[in-house]
Amino acid sequence: MSVAAAATHARVTSSRARPFRAPRRGRATGDAAGRLVRRVRGNRGGASVTRTRSGAESSPSGPPPLDLVVFTVIVDDLVFADGATRMGVLGGGGPQTAFGFRTHPGDFSVGLAAGVGPDFPRECADWLDANGVDTEGLMLVRDERTNTSGAVEGEGEGGDEEEGGSSWEGGGASASAFVARRESALAEKTNAKQPPSPSFRPTPRAWQITEHDGRRTQVWRTPANAHLYAMLRPPAETLPPRYRGAKAFHVGVHPERPDATLLKALREKVIFGGDDEKNEKKNASTRVLLSVEPFTRATRPVSIETLHTLCSAGDVFSPNELEAVSLVGEGSPAELCRRLADAGAKIVCVRRGEKGAVVHSAATGETWDVPAFLEDQSRLADVTGCGNAFCGGFMAGLVSGESLDRAACWGSAAASVMAEHVGVATVAAR
């Protein structure tokens, strides 16, 4: 399915989306694109002004804040059920969510924040550029105390002590330029016969193994330790100013160990330091739209406190069905939504793969069952990243001010495009 075809599906599919509380399907009228945020765009390269229906304007002295910031880059080595492989594919929740977000016709901006290494493939950087993903938040992570096996060589030694000896060196607006600059620096050292110092941590890399029944197992190839997890979700204070001022964030977390500090910093934008009282006064006006997604199932029961932290941290909580069951037990999708809402979630989105998704608003009580759009199963190529693409499309709908069911339709449309490609979709999102 092309992006254009998926967008058409998303505009008209309310005739297929149905509320759980109503026995009959009601056909919605109007075009989803008609309710998009109205934008007045000036010179993209310099002084530009963006207006929404609320009349808010960005600063004319520079580019406006990003609409969405996403986290995590992983280079995936894919293993399919028939034994076929595909190596070095751009993956991780960040690029996949960014693609889903960019499929929406609202022309929204999205930035990627993640730690990468000198081995970050040029093909991956080219994909980010082709899909209009801002990569100023793409950072090399230097750590002179950590060897290639991930073992800490010194304790309490070394120059930079941020994040256990890390220092974060930012990228640029162009991912390809970022890679070219890295390659140029390495070439200069090679020509001068200098050692490749300082050392940087490698780009996170993992096997993604898919079984015949659709189950997927991730096995880390990069040593799994605290340094790796920090690269997946960079500390809030390392984010560039445009990222800190973003209108929305999407973050993947472990359900048993949600990064409460990062989530609070993003939710309240308390990432500049300074006076706590001053920050508190600004919280009401600086709160942003935050989407939280567990990236795996809980392996053991979580405490009530952890479940509340996980569900209440943001505006949207979006597990898949197996992840939801691991948190609140067996039940119908609607029941899962209500239990998660009772635990503190404001908007719940339970993703169900080929069965679509069920979305629920705690504020209004509405619950919608939205179908998947992959009608031709013969075109199914790879389901890796479909859930992230759904989250991106769903967030784009919410950012644009669309209704809950319409936003979910954009999510399903984005997921359908992702499902027809191995790895991230090769068609440009715009």
Side-chain angles (χ1 to χ4, degrees):
M1 181 183 293
S2 68
V3 172
T8 300
H9 274 296
R11 292 188 181 103
V12 302
T13 196
S14 285
S15 61
R16 296 173 61 194
R18 59 187 177 87
F20 267 91
R21 61 179 181 232
R24 295 193 306 172
R25 300 179 182 183
R27 181 176 295 274
T29 60
D31 190 326
R35 295 204 302 273
L36 297 178
V37 175
R38 297 178 58 207
R39 302 166 76 82
V40 180
R41 294 189 297 276
N43 179 8
R44 276 185 168 281
S48 62
V49 177
T50 301
R51 295 186 178 89
T52 66
R53 287 182 295 186
S54 64
E57 296 188 3
S58 64
S59 170
S61 61
L66 295 167
D67 292 304
L68 176 70
V69 168
V70 295
F71 295 80
T72 304
V73 166
I74 301 173
V75 175
D76 288 335
D77 293 323
L78 306 177
V79 180
F80 299 97
D82 61 0
T85 60
R86 176 94 175 261
M87 308 296 283
V89 175
L90 178 63
Q96 296 155 353
T97 304
F99 178 84
F101 192 72
R102 289 282 292 165
T103 57
H104 192 282
D107 194 24
F108 296 125
S109 59
V110 57
L112 174 61
V116 296
D119 56 343
F120 186 62
R122 175 175 284 278
E123 295 79 8
C124 295
D126 290 343
W127 186 94
L128 295 171
D129 286 343
N131 285 275
V133 180
D134 184 282
T135 53
E136 189 181 359
L138 202 64
M139 293 167 275
L140 287 172
V141 184
R142 185 178 64 182
D143 183 7
E144 298 178 349
R145 299 186 304 154
T146 303
N147 63 26
T148 56
S149 69
V152 177
E153 297 178 336
E155 198 65 43
E157 300 175 358
D160 298 305
E161 293 300 321
E162 183 177 342
E163 278 297 306
S166 305
S167 66
W168 299 74
E169 301 185 8
S174 166
S176 292
F178 175 74
V179 172
R181 187 168 65 251
R182 177 205 69 196
E183 291 176 346
S184 175
L186 292 176
E188 289 178 3
K189 289 182 178 297
T190 300
N191 294 335
K193 296 183 179 180
Q194 296 178 5
S197 176
S199 61
F200 294 94
R201 294 178 187 154
T203 302
R205 190 162 188 147
W207 294 107
Q208 303 291 348
I209 305 169
T210 303
E211 307 292 350
H212 285 289
D213 60 2
R215 287 179 296 115
R216 182 170 60 86
T217 302
Q218 176 174 285
V219 180
W220 284 112
R221 302 193 68 186
T222 308
N225 52 37
H227 300 311
L228 170 66
Y229 300 128
M231 292 179 73
L232 300 179
R233 292 178 302 279
E237 61 270 16
T238 67
L239 299 180
R242 287 187 70 209
Y243 284 55
R244 300 179 185 182
K247 300 174 184 177
F249 296 91
H250 176 79
V251 188
V253 300
H254 196 291
E256 298 169 17
R257 302 181 298 276
D259 191 339
T261 300
L262 175 63
L263 295 177
K264 180 178 180 181
L266 298 178
R267 187 72 172 89
E268 301 180 350
K269 291 190 179 179
V270 186
I271 53 182
F272 294 99
D275 190 292
D276 289 339
E277 182 178 353
K278 190 176 296 183
N279 280 328
E280 186 176 351
K281 291 179 180 179
K282 292 182 178 180
N283 280 350
S285 61
T286 59
R287 284 184 178 271
V288 296
L289 186 65
L290 176 60
S291 170
V292 178
E293 173 194 5
F295 55 71
T296 189
R297 286 171 280 177
T299 59
R300 58 180 182 269
V302 300
S303 67
I304 295 176
E305 293 77 14
T306 299
L307 181 62
H308 177 74
T309 297
L310 187 64
C311 293
S312 64
D315 301 280
V316 177
F317 183 61
S318 181
N320 65 31
E321 192 165 8
L322 292 177
E323 292 161 351
V325 168
S326 75
L327 292 170
V328 295
E330 297 283 349
S332 70
E335 289 171 340
L336 296 175
C337 285
R338 284 192 286 270
R339 291 175 197 166
L340 292 169
D342 290 342
K346 300 174 180 63
I347 295 175
V348 183
C349 179
V350 175
R351 296 173 279 110
R352 309 184 66 213
E354 64 182 14
K355 298 178 182 179
V358 176
V359 293
H360 172 78
S361 169
T364 65
E366 61 182 308
T367 303
W368 290 88
D369 182 7
V370 177
F373 291 143
L374 190 65
E375 297 175 338
D376 183 359
Q377 290 295 319
S378 66
R379 300 183 65 177
L380 178 65
D382 178 23
V383 298
T384 304
C386 290
N388 297 121
F390 182 100
C391 290
F394 185 62
M395 284 293 285
L398 295 182
V399 168
S400 69
E402 299 193 46
S403 62
L404 190 66
D405 59 315
R406 293 279 182 147
C409 290
W410 284 116
S412 283
S416 71
V417 178
M418 188 69 76
E420 294 179 359
H421 296 79
V422 176
V424 288
T426 53
V427 294
R430 303 238 45 91

